[in-house]
């Protein structure tokens, strides 16, 4: 019996994943490293500080802790410039309609994002009041694939993981959902199939009852 849904933000509600990639690639250029889209895939759902560590490893560069802080701040300022003019038109196709279906059925909805910029983005796209619970990178200690972000979301909504669907576009996020015993829906390509209970290409035209049926789950 499903009573709630938790949505990842970047790559699920809105395609900010491309802006994160652009900002990391710009930083990589400064390290004289060509950061590929494939390598970026592995950073999806990973916190800012951990992402920098991985980029430094890839580039084979060692810097001081003080410089790491500076680099993270620089990457974030570039990212914020890129998202500055975002508006509701960047909400991914079908997302608003799918959220409306959930509201009509009194299904609780939350955001579970690794991003410390989640609230800023939600304000820009006009969805800050759409979610009854928002758990973001400011509210958790452990990064995905640790399930903390989703467990906290479910706790705040008062639902059990088994009653809650997590929608995620990253391998790490889906691993977090499974580790927390949530129902895990991958949003994206078939490469996510090994990590999810089911994969959907996106929300366009998605009917909530059909989704539940395809996972043999009951409605409230
Ligand atoms: P920030 P999600 C994640 O958001 C992104 O996928 C990941 O690329 C990013 O590094 C991370 O947030 C931290 O973001 O630098 O804004 O705090 O997919 O969990 O919504
Ligand atoms: Mg994501």
């Amino acid at each position: 019996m499903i009573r709630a849904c938790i949505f990842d933000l970047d790559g699920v509600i809105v395609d900010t994943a491309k802006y994160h990639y652009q900002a990391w690639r710009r930083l990589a250029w400064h390290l004289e490293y060509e950061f590929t889209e494939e390598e970026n895939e592995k950073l999806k759902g990973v916190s800012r500080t951990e992402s920098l560590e991985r980029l430094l490893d890839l580039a084979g560069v060692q810097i001081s802790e003080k410089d790491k802080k500076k680099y993270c701040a620089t990457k974030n300022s570039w990212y914020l410039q890129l998202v500055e003019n975002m508006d509701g038109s960047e909400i991914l196709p079908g997302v608003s309609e799918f959220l409306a279906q959930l509201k009509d059925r009194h299904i609780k909805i939350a955001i579970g994002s690794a991003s410390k910029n989640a609230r800023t983005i939600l304000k820009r796209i006009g969805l800050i009041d759409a979610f009854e619970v928002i758990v973001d990178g400011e509210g958790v200690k452990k990064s995905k694939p640790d399930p903390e972000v989703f467990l906290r979301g479910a706790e705040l909504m008062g639902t059990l993981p088994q009653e809650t669907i997590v929608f995620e576009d990253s391998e790490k996020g889906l691993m977090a959902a499974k580790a927390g015993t949530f129902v895990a829906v991958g949003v994206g390509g078939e490469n996510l199939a090994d990590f999810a209970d089911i994969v959907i290409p996106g929300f366009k035209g998605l009917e909530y009852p059909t989704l539940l049926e395809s996972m043999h789950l009951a409605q409230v």
Side-chain angles (χ1 to χ4, degrees):
M1 190 88 81
I2 295 301
R3 294 178 51 222
C5 292
I6 304 180
F7 295 82
D8 172 49
L9 178 67
D10 295 325
V12 169
I13 299 289
V14 76
D15 188 13
T16 34
K18 66 181 179 216
Y19 300 129
H20 279 295
Y21 174 49
Q22 284 174 37
W24 283 125
R25 199 174 48 171
R26 189 168 166 192
L27 194 74
W29 284 333
H30 284 262
L31 303 170
E32 296 180 358
Y33 183 74
E34 190 65 43
F35 182 50
T36 67
E37 229 171 318
E38 212 179 346
E39 288 164 342
N40 183 63
E41 273 303 305
K42 304 276 173 206
L43 297 193
K44 285 187 177 172
V46 178
S47 74
R48 198 181 309 163
T49 46
E50 224 174 293
S51 297
L52 176 69
E53 293 291 351
R54 295 195 192 187
L55 182 61
L56 291 171
D57 277 352
L58 286 168
V61 172
Q62 285 184 351
I63 57 172
S64 66
E65 288 305 313
K66 199 174 148 206
D67 278 346
K68 284 181 189 169
K69 284 210 172 89
K70 239 168 54 187
Y71 279 36
C72 276
T74 303
K75 182 267 171 179
N76 197 47
S77 69
W78 290 334
Y79 175 72
L80 287 175
Q81 279 170 24
L82 289 165
V83 300
E84 196 168 281
N85 296 318
M86 275 181 88
D87 59 24
S89 67
E90 291 203 46
I91 299 171
L92 286 167
V95 166
S96 302
E97 293 79 358
F98 190 71
L99 295 179
Q101 290 182 49
L102 299 179
K103 290 226 157 144
D104 285 349
R105 290 171 171 83
H106 306 288
I107 302 291
K108 297 180 180 194
I109 56 175
I111 285 286
S113 168
S115 175
K116 294 187 173 178
N117 295 302
R119 283 167 204 271
T120 305
I121 303 293
L122 287 168
K123 274 185 206 148
R124 297 255 155 86
I125 60 174
L127 285 184
I128 190 77
D129 296 321
F131 299 90
E132 53 185 282
V133 166
I134 297 172
V135 187
D136 60 15
E138 299 285 3
V140 291
K141 289 197 182 73
K142 296 178 214 141
S143 248
K144 299 169 186 177
D146 189 282
E148 185 185 1
V149 64
F150 299 134
L151 289 172
R152 182 91 188 108
E155 189 190 342
L156 290 170
M157 289 191 289
T159 61
L160 296 170
Q162 305 91 282
E163 301 170 325
T164 309
I165 302 178
V166 169
F167 292 91
E168 254 292 348
D169 71 317
S170 72
E171 291 177 8
K172 299 277 182 311
L174 289 167
M175 285 159 78
K178 294 307 288 176
T181 69
F182 290 88
V183 179
V185 175
V187 183
E190 280 305 313
N191 58 309
L192 299 173
D194 289 348
F195 306 92
D197 292 312
I198 195 170
V199 177
I200 57 168
F203 292 94
K204 199 172 172 192
L206 184 67
E207 295 292 337
Y208 178 66
T210 315
L211 176 73
L212 291 193
E213 261 167 48
S214 54
M215 291 193 289
H216 311 289
L217 292 168
Q219 294 192 52
V220 185

